[in-house]
Amino acid sequence: MTAELVRGQNHPLSEVRLEIRISAGRPVVALATLSDDSGSARGAEWVVHPGAPVLPGLEVSRQAAADHRLAVDLGAIPEAAHRVDVLLALPAAGGGPTRFGAVAAPFVAVTGLDGTELASYTITGLDAESAVIAVELYRRQGAWKVRAVGQGYAGGLTELLTDLGLTQAAELAGAAEEAVAEGLARSVAVPPSRTTDDDRSHQASAPPRPNPAASVSSHEGSSDEGSSHEGQFSGTAAPSAPQPAGPGGSGGGTPAAGPSAPVPAGGTIDYRHPRRQPAPLSGQPSDPPRHPSAPSGQPTPPPAAPAASPGRDGQPVRPVAGDATGWSMEERLYNQVWGMFEDLARTTAAYRSAVDFAESRMEKELDQVLSDPRSRIGGQGDAAREAALAKHAQLVDQARAALDRDLAQLTHESEVVEPALPAAYAHWDNPVWHGYRVPMEIPMAVRLGDLHLPEDPSLRIPMLIRLPLERGLWIDSGRWASPDESFADAGERRRLAMEAAVAHAARLIAVYPAGEFGVHVIDPAGSGAQALAPLVRTGVLAAPPAAGAAGVADVLSRLTQRVDLVQMAVRGGAPDALPPGFDAAEQLLIVNDFPHGFDDRAVTQLRYLADEGPAVGVHLMMVADREDAAAYGPLLDPLWRSLMRLTPVPDDHLADPWVGHAWTYEPPVVPPGSQVLQLVLTEVATARRDWNR
């Protein structure tokens, strides 16, 4: 799983032979330096740049380019070197941008030799800087890690190299620039594209993106103490939040017209995600593709998304479903949905940042007026206050207009994408369910609900979670934030929570091939019998719901034994040596009314399943009120933290990892009176009977 890092976050590296892939949209110079345990580079012999591109364990490009691949062999790095800094700089030659604030946010990915991404980082928050330390690879207690740095330098490459302790910084920067200039002199300019109207009419297209953010999930990584760059960046409350003024590049600006558009008067910056840049309009020079081509002998990257192109009236044509990278339409739609999520998060962050700026500016101007005794009274003070209020209103109106434009664009895209989604990604009211057939393959992801922000509650983004599930689910039947106290009754809350759990379970059952997903239910007191009726009636459960303490103990014992067997087989290097007749299908355990019917041993087994089960195909779905288990105290805190909390009613308890927005979660409700659940489960039961023959 790729770790999407933010400034200051680190991630362990599982491989020593790596590629560092850089996509910047505009030509940049890539360099790297080695540093000792004190954080200093010992001299020019520890710097690789276009003029001296090779060192033991390091190799960089020989010229400026929009896409780079740096080869790194950590095993060949000198023992005295404890850190590798990857640097980016805008070339002085070529007449291009002179500050990173005028270009798209650079994207850096650390990959294995097979192209698998280990960690990635979008460098945001840059403005006047023309050189930046992108990431660092550092050795800590014999193991290597990568850290997202994003430290920019307005003084350019010379200032950056000086900060790394190089006394000959100016000479090294000059040598790098000279090598880049020689490379530009030898290069041949790419001719402009000659797309005709007829050609464009046959191309799939997409509108320019607003400001992009990321998925609602936790990202791996932590902050180690003692790093040489510690203190140069501030920690963030969210796992993956960018600088607010600048989820990965939102700030107090509005998006530009294109991925490489120059900064217009007024200083607006294009904050769009590097992976979601539309193609330039006809007549503009084409930038290189965002994804560099694979090296010889390696798999090629997924095909690029359809390019955006203008219609005959010069306006962007209607968005299309599948406007993202991927090998299949399913993968394209998955990436497009999360791209929409990023766009909504970032354009909202830009709006909120602009409003905060307008308010702070107004407060500052009003404080200046009040600090001068001569202007506290009389017409001069009133005029100053009115001017401050008018400026505030103007800035807020401008920010809202940009937000409304982006929201309208995303709404149009949502209207096109939603009907095209496959069953695993679709609403229960989508017509795709009426033609449902049991799939032959496991999909990439499953829809567990919708997400929206208060700026536009009508624009809802599907919440897609990758399969197989990496953590259990907790359907909270406790007291939710409800201003009208409409869900004050505990019995009603439990009923809604159990119905939501059944809807989630039915969707998981429906998206797996026949025989590859089993469901077990623990309902000690039988309180969930009514909600469980669709699962029981159609016969899709592995066994009838377990009741009483004996039933709880039996189910937990069988599933913990299953986890133990699979773990022993995997650790012993013999995953095929499982007992004859062993059911290799993934299993889901639904637990209702916890902790009723659970003794201390059962609670311990439940915690074990939550921690160890997902890795071996045993998943947990708990329907519980945390207050009911308060008697266990902090003993169960790790259990609750290990589960993804979902609610049966709308609730704003989820935060995205880029900017920390409080997203309102909407559960996937089956339309009232609809028989879709019964139809789908009946089809699954029929397919399972045929499969077992």
Side-chain angles (χ1 to χ4, degrees):
M1 176 179 175
T2 304
E4 297 186 11
L5 306 180
V6 294
R7 184 174 296 183
Q9 192 177 12
N10 65 48
H11 184 71
L13 294 173
S14 56
E15 302 181 31
V16 295
R17 300 186 66 187
L18 308 167
E19 275 192 348
I20 299 179
R21 303 183 179 186
I22 299 165
S23 296
R26 286 284 191 175
V28 296
V29 184
L31 309 88
T33 62
L34 301 179
S35 300
D36 56 23
D37 53 0
S38 66
S40 298
R42 293 187 174 180
E45 67 275 10
W46 274 20
V47 181
V48 284
H49 57 82
V54 180
L55 275 179
L58 276 178
E59 184 174 357
V60 301
S61 303
R62 288 172 166 77
Q63 60 185 22
D67 297 286
H68 289 272
R69 289 193 177 199
L70 281 61
V72 180
D73 185 355
L74 297 175
I77 297 294
E79 283 295 325
H82 288 258
R83 197 179 79 215
V84 179
D85 288 303
V86 177
L87 321 177
L88 302 179
L90 292 171
T98 59
R99 61 189 187 94
F100 275 108
V103 301
F107 175 79
V108 181
V110 180
T111 75
L113 293 184
D114 60 354
T116 302
E117 280 194 12
L118 306 177
S120 63
Y121 173 43
T122 302
I123 309 172
T124 61
L126 300 177
D127 186 11
E129 298 88 345
S130 59
V132 61
I133 301 176
V135 296
E136 64 177 15
L137 313 179
Y138 64 98
R139 186 168 14 209
R140 179 66 53 82
Q141 297 177 348
W144 285 91
K145 295 184 177 183
V146 58
R147 187 194 309 280
V149 180
Q151 177 66 45
Y153 294 82
L157 193 55
T158 300
E159 181 183 359
L160 188 158
L161 295 174
T162 301
D163 195 44
L164 292 177
L166 290 162
T167 56
Q168 61 274 57
E171 292 81 356
L172 286 168
E177 289 290 351
E178 182 179 355
V180 169
E182 291 177 357
L184 289 175
R186 292 191 301 268
S187 64
V188 178
V190 178
S193 59
R194 300 179 59 187
T195 305
T196 65
D197 288 341
D198 291 336
D199 292 333
R200 285 196 296 267
S201 66
H202 292 86
Q203 292 177 348
S205 55
R209 289 279 169 204
N211 303 336
S215 61
V216 181
S217 61
S218 297
H219 288 265
E220 297 128 358
S222 59
S223 294
D224 288 337
E225 296 180 359
S227 169
S228 60
H229 285 291
E230 209 154 339
Q232 296 178 0
F233 37 74
S234 58
T236 55
S240 189
Q243 300 303 308
S250 57
T254 56
S260 58
V263 178
T268 55
I269 302 171
D270 185 352
Y271 290 113
R272 285 169 289 180
H273 195 287
R275 290 179 171 177
R276 291 181 56 75
Q277 299 285 0
L281 301 183
S282 178
Q284 295 177 344
S286 300
D287 285 335
R290 303 301 308 173
H291 294 276
S293 57
S296 176
Q298 298 294 338
T300 57
S309 59
R312 295 183 182 275
D313 57 356
Q315 299 297 320
V317 297
R318 186 174 177 84
V320 294
D323 172 30
T325 58
W327 289 109
S328 64
M329 179 56 73
E330 179 193 23
E331 185 178 0
R332 287 177 178 267
L333 288 169
Y334 173 85
N335 291 332
Q336 185 174 13
V337 166
W338 278 118
M340 292 164 59
F341 177 90
E342 296 174 357
D343 292 354
L344 179 57
R346 290 187 176 180
T347 193
T348 303
Y351 167 72
R352 294 179 181 180
S353 178
V355 171
D356 289 343
F357 169 76
E359 291 178 351
S360 63
R361 173 173 177 159
M362 179 182 67
E363 291 173 359
K364 180 179 179 181
E365 292 176 349
L366 292 177
D367 288 343
Q368 290 176 347
V369 172
L370 295 176
S371 64
D372 187 353
R374 295 171 298 178
S375 61
R376 292 178 185 172
I377 57 176
Q380 183 180 357
D382 293 340
R385 280 188 287 271
E386 290 177 2
L389 292 172
K391 184 62 175 178
H392 171 269
Q394 179 187 3
L395 292 174
V396 171
D397 290 344
Q398 289 176 348
R400 185 69 209 194
L403 175 67
D404 289 342
R405 182 186 64 244
D406 294 344
L407 292 177
Q409 183 173 296
L410 284 169
T411 299
H412 293 157
E413 184 171 11
S414 177
E415 291 171 351
V416 172
V417 170
E418 190 70 47
L421 295 177
Y425 302 173
H427 270 298
W428 283 116
D429 58 1
N430 192 307
V432 70
W433 287 107
H434 296 290
Y436 168 78
R437 293 294 180 269
V438 177
M440 300 298 292
E441 296 180 351
I442 301 173
M444 287 184 60
V446 66
R447 186 175 189 158
L448 293 185
D450 293 336
L451 300 167
H452 66 80
L453 291 171
E455 280 75 9
D456 188 357
S458 64
L459 177 55
R460 301 183 179 184
I461 308 297
M463 179 178 169
L464 303 182
I465 303 299
R466 291 297 294 264
L467 292 177
L469 297 174
E470 296 181 354
R471 57 192 298 201
L473 304 177
W474 166 28
I475 314 302
D476 191 358
S477 61
R479 188 180 295 273
W480 317 294
S482 177
D484 56 358
E485 295 295 326
S486 56
F487 301 105
D489 180 66
E492 177 68 6
R493 296 199 304 270
R494 290 192 179 97
R495 181 188 67 80
L496 291 172
M498 197 60 200
E499 289 179 353
V502 169
H504 287 306
R507 183 176 287 262
L508 287 168
I509 294 170
V511 301
Y512 272 80
E516 294 193 21
F517 196 81
V519 180
H520 309 261
V521 177
I522 290 178
D523 188 19
S527 59
Q530 182 178 355
L532 289 167
L535 301 180
V536 175
R537 189 166 52 241
T538 54
V540 295
L541 295 180
V552 172
D554 177 60
V555 173
L556 291 177
S557 177
R558 286 188 285 109
L559 290 178
T560 52
Q561 183 182 24
R562 173 192 176 86
V563 172
D564 289 339
L565 284 172
V566 177
Q567 282 187 336
M568 286 190 293
V570 172
R571 291 171 181 171
D576 298 329
L578 293 167
F582 183 85
D583 183 8
E586 294 195 33
Q587 307 293 318
L588 173 69
L589 172 61
I590 303 175
V591 178
N592 183 37
D593 213 11
F594 177 81
H596 182 77
F598 282 73
D599 55 17
D600 290 345
R601 175 180 172 80
V603 169
T604 301
Q605 289 175 320
L606 192 68
R607 286 188 55 187
Y608 177 72
L609 291 178
D611 293 339
E612 304 294 336
V616 293
V618 177
H619 310 285
L620 181 62
M621 182 186 295
M622 289 187 59
V623 183
D625 180 356
R626 189 169 182 172
E627 293 300 320
D628 292 342
Y632 288 93
L635 177 67
L636 291 182
D637 286 351
L639 173 64
W640 304 117
R641 287 196 298 266
S642 69
L643 304 174
M644 176 183 289
R645 177 177 175 259
L646 302 177
T647 55
V649 297
D651 188 69
D652 59 349
H653 66 280
L654 293 174
D656 69 69
W658 286 86
V659 292
H661 290 324
W663 291 79
T664 297
Y665 167 76
E666 294 267 359
V669 179
V670 178
S674 173
Q675 297 297 314
V676 63
L677 210 63
Q678 184 71 26
L679 293 173
V680 169
L681 293 176
T682 300
E683 182 70 21
V684 171
T686 302
R688 287 186 175 183
R689 285 194 297 268
D690 295 340
W691 182 80
N692 288 324
R693 287 177 183 174

